[in-house]
Amino acid sequence: MTERGVVLQGTGGVWSVRTSDGATRDVSLRGRLKISADKLVVGDEVVLEDAGGAWAIAEILPRRSVLARRSPGGSYGERIVAANVDQVVVVFAAASPEPHPRMLDRFLVIAEANELQAHIVVNKVDLVDPAAARARFADYPVAGYPMHFTSIVTGVGLDELAVELKGRISALAGPSGVGKSSLLNALYPGLNLRVGTISPSVNKGRHTTVGALLHPLPDGGYVADTPGLREVGIWGLSPDALDRCFPEFVAYLGHCRFADCHHVVEPDCAVRAAVAARELSATRYDSYVRLRQELQ
Ligand code: GDP
Ligand code: ZN
């Protein structure tokens, strides 16, 4: 007898797997399985086999996508944080804490580098003038990112956000205190997350031993809490690949004088010309230059 399921969590060789009937089983890996336990990650789809009363993971199904990051401590080697993630949902607050576009751009680059769709949630819009919040994040719809303005105080934007999360695996990212746990509790009262439960994505070094985990959503889909993202490595990205991680730059690439233009100091650079002409955002370009320096 076999069953299919999704890996929610794993510690010490025991994996928590949610089966298609909605039950959660604690299972082990079958000994004969070729894949080693540290290669199995949350989000993996698995086949469970009933081996005489105890269920075990007999097979790991091919991954649709992976979310990977640099190893802790900066050593080389890709570390897969979660599998089958459909989208990255980056949450910032309109105020308290003040949003940092540089950090937002960094999360977006991680999503792009993993070829994952990113959504931006601007929470706590009750604390600011709505027009000001939109103006502050105006670069992002221009770059093509879906935006959601939300508040758990007024309830604005919550229904639209629930629609985006439904039936998908979403990796939730964003700084501490922006309201990630509060949003999930407001959307799904049954989830009962402690406020502050979702791992902070900043504060390097805290909770480094905590692994990723998936929260099943009551109406289908999962939210991945991936503490690894906070160390935010733009792992293994070549400086030249960074160009394409800024979607609004793409139309200008290939129009610079030099084919290998870095878009930083070169003459006749189409990207810099677009920034000078205000066709591209100077703030986003500044993030690009800083990230490029970091990668070189
Ligand atoms: P997390 O660290 O991102 O999970 O953030 P929390 O969910 O723990 O929320 C941090 C604080 O922000 C808590 O005191 C929440 O009550 C508050 N908060 C969350 N969402 C909102 C919101 O939409 N508006 C306001 N005014 N406060 C919020
Ligand atoms: Zn250029």
Side-chain angles (χ1 to χ4, degrees):
M1 204 177 136
T2 63
E3 262 190 64
R4 276 174 70 151
V6 174
V7 175
L8 300 182
Q9 199 176 357
T11 36
V14 179
W15 299 86
S16 172
V17 173
R18 190 171 199 264
T19 50
S20 27
D21 58 3
T24 303
R25 302 182 195 283
D26 287 335
V27 301
S28 55
L29 275 176
R30 274 200 82 107
R32 65 174 162 78
L33 206 63
K34 283 285 187 294
I35 189 160
S36 63
D38 60 36
K39 296 240 175 77
L40 185 66
V41 297
V42 305
D44 265 323
E45 282 183 36
V46 295
V47 176
L48 300 183
E49 226 171 55
D50 186 358
W55 291 89
I57 296 172
E59 191 186 342
I60 299 164
L61 300 175
R63 292 170 175 157
R64 298 190 302 275
S65 66
V66 293
L67 187 58
R69 67 170 169 106
R70 194 172 56 198
S71 301
S75 60
Y76 286 91
E78 184 183 50
R79 166 94 184 271
I80 295 174
V81 176
N84 301 322
V85 170
D86 296 301
Q87 56 189 6
V88 176
V89 176
V90 189
V91 185
F92 272 75
S96 181
E98 282 300 297
H100 290 292
R102 208 79 61 212
M103 201 194 295
L104 172 53
D105 291 337
R106 182 176 271 270
F107 281 119
L108 295 176
V109 165
I110 292 164
E112 298 289 342
N114 285 281
E115 293 177 34
L116 295 171
Q117 171 70 55
H119 289 255
I120 301 170
V121 174
V122 179
N123 189 37
K124 306 199 189 186
V125 289
D126 56 285
L127 298 179
V128 299
D129 166 35
R134 280 177 199 277
R136 188 147 189 190
F137 288 90
D139 288 344
Y140 299 97
V142 171
Y145 292 106
M147 303 277 308
H148 309 276
F149 292 90
T150 61
S151 164
I152 65 154
V153 174
T154 66
V156 70
L158 297 183
D159 291 347
E160 290 85 345
L161 183 57
V163 168
E164 296 301 331
L165 299 180
K166 188 173 179 171
R168 301 184 180 141
I169 300 185
S170 307
L172 208 59
S176 184
V178 297
K180 297 183 292 302
S181 336
S182 306
L183 275 171
L184 291 178
N185 282 333
L187 291 171
Y188 316 101
L191 213 57
N192 271 327
L193 284 178
R194 196 159 36 84
V195 167
T197 308
I198 295 287
S199 310
S201 296
V202 286
N203 302 337
K204 291 184 188 190
R206 276 184 62 210
H207 303 136
T208 41
T209 55
V210 179
L213 93 101
L214 286 195
H215 299 283
L217 301 179
D219 54 0
Y222 299 85
V223 167
D225 177 12
T226 52
L229 267 195
R230 106 184 85 105
E231 297 191 346
V232 195
I234 27 179
W235 180 82
L237 195 63
S238 80
D240 293 330
L242 187 64
D243 293 4
R244 296 194 168 271
C245 293
F246 286 73
E248 72 273 42
F249 289 12
V250 171
Y252 299 92
L253 302 176
H255 297 284
C256 304
R257 187 202 292 184
F258 301 108
D260 61 352
C261 185
H262 292 177
H263 323 299
V264 179
V265 292
E266 296 86 344
D268 292 333
C269 166
V271 172
R272 288 205 300 145
V275 175
R278 294 173 181 250
E279 289 165 27
L280 287 178
S281 151
T283 320
R284 289 271 292 163
Y285 174 72
D286 191 44
S287 286
Y288 168 83
V289 172
R290 284 165 192 251
L291 287 170
R292 184 175 250 284
Q293 282 164 352
E294 198 177 304
L295 289 170
Q296 266 160 353

